[in-house]
Amino acid sequence: MRKFKGNEIVLATHNQGKIKEFSMMMKPYGIKVLSASELGLAEPEETGKTFEENAILKAKAGAEATGKVVLADDSGLIVKALDNAPGIYSARWAGPEKDFTKAMNRVNEELGCNVDRRAAFIAVLAMVWPDGYVVSVEGRVEGEIICPPRGEKGFGYDPIFQPNGKDKTFAEMSAEEKKSMSHRGIAFEKLIENYFA
């Protein structure tokens, strides 16, 4: 099993929320996060059928373009009563202008009066070395969709997602609180435990 031993890693994203979150998570390990946006990398088309396929696709494109180890995440919200939509299309539901208020409204409109509001956030992290070596891990957190949205912190669908056993949405939690239980935090812990020296 290969371990990451460097002191900087490329994060294959242009999403400022993700860049901030990953930079915070990497800081205790002394690893600097370089983002795809600051390196001027294009965003590859996400043609995968799963979160894992899309995460690997993004990490591979970044590793080929930079010659560095690249970390990519593909994550999204799945809503049980919507046949697990938006799923891998979570970002696309926000449209080209990345309007997550519109995306959250769509989730609640499509749910309507449905009493089954079970949902989960899933994150797959893929790390790819310049020689094409790939590792991936998955994190998942169960919860429910709430309406109206609550909280100003976080990003994406955080204001409508309340994890099981909690009385706050992800958008009402501090960064530290969210990290301890989020899908991305869970996946990140697995990645560190298994693939970092």
Side-chain angles (χ1 to χ4, degrees), residues 153-181:
K153 301 176 187 122
F155 56 95
Y157 295 92
D158 286 357
I160 61 168
F161 183 81
Q162 184 170 302
N164 287 344
K166 300 293 172 187
D167 58 2
K168 290 181 184 175
T169 67
F170 271 171
E172 294 175 297
M173 294 180 184
S174 69
E176 278 304 316
E177 254 182 306
K178 182 184 169 188
K179 179 188 162 207
S180 70
M181 72 183 69

Side-chain angles (χ1 to χ4, degrees), residues 131-151:
D131 65 0
Y133 187 83
V134 178
V135 298
S136 68
V137 292
E138 180 180 299
R140 181 184 182 109
V141 62
E142 304 287 339
E144 65 176 347
I145 299 299
I146 59 107
C147 186
R150 296 196 319 255

